[in-house]
Amino acid sequence: ADEIVFIANNKSSRHDSELYTFRLQMADQLSQRSKFKVSWYGEIPISRKFYRGKAESKDQILRNAKFSVCTENCYHPIYSHNYFTEKMPEVWLAGAVPIYFGCYNINDFGFATHSYLDLRTYVNKAGKDIHHIDFDSLLSRIENFDPPRYENFKEDVRYNIKKEHGLYHVISYDRMYETIIQTIVQANS
């Protein structure tokens, strides 16, 4: 379907690196400016016309969507370095196109370039709670995602899953614990 989904709870934080505000800003702008239907699913209700309630089946929602904005909870050189969670892999496995922002060094994981839309290309942070987003370029990219581009996307996702040290290595518990320890050590250095 021609739908962009958000599956997230509308939380808040006072930390400069938080992306909760960004998610809501993205949903508001996409809802107003995109030709796609925008839907937000989460347990914590938001007062927006695109709020659809709790996600009963995240996988089913993603299987029916064309895109999903999936962001980690923060973007920061230390706190989100190597911080890559289930968000983008769940979107890949359901067949939707991730619109991703979060892991500071996402390029180090070796994922195929066209397997997601990297929001870092379209966003500049101007201060706490202020993100300047190049919506014209982002909307152009989303709205021109034609069938041949989608086939390339699917091929790149297959590469991400099958490559040596692929997706299942990246989201392993061992790597997660290692990342947490490295982040704590870096933050206290």
Side-chain angles (χ1 to χ4, degrees), residues 161-173:
I161 293 169
K162 292 180 180 180
K163 75 180 189 94
E164 182 183 354
H165 299 295
L167 184 59
Y168 296 107
H169 169 75
V170 170
I171 58 176
S172 73
Y173 283 110

Side-chain angles (χ1 to χ4, degrees), residues 80-100:
S80 70
H81 184 86
N82 281 340
Y83 186 72
F84 180 74
T85 67
E86 81 292 346
K87 291 171 180 67
M88 192 156 56
E90 287 178 341
V91 176
W92 280 333
L93 294 172
V97 177
I99 302 172
Y100 181 77

Side-chain angles (χ1 to χ4, degrees), residues 102-162:
C103 181
Y104 191 81
N105 61 318
I106 189 70
N107 296 348
D108 293 352
F109 289 89
F111 295 132
T113 307
H114 300 292
S115 62
Y116 62 99
L117 298 180
D118 189 346
L119 280 171
R120 295 177 302 176
T121 305
Y122 306 97
V123 176
N124 289 312
K125 185 154 174 111
K128 179 154 175 48
D129 299 341
I130 301 170
H131 294 90
H132 292 292
I133 303 168
D134 181 358
F135 272 105
D136 292 335
S137 296
L138 178 59
L139 285 173
S140 175
R141 180 77 193 273
I142 291 169
E143 292 177 356
N144 290 309
F145 208 88
D146 57 12
R149 194 173 276 173
Y150 186 72
E151 288 305 313
N152 289 339
F153 156 77
K154 289 193 308 190
E155 187 59 39
D156 281 353
V157 169
R158 282 190 284 278
Y159 167 81
N160 292 343
I161 293 169
K162 292 180 180 180

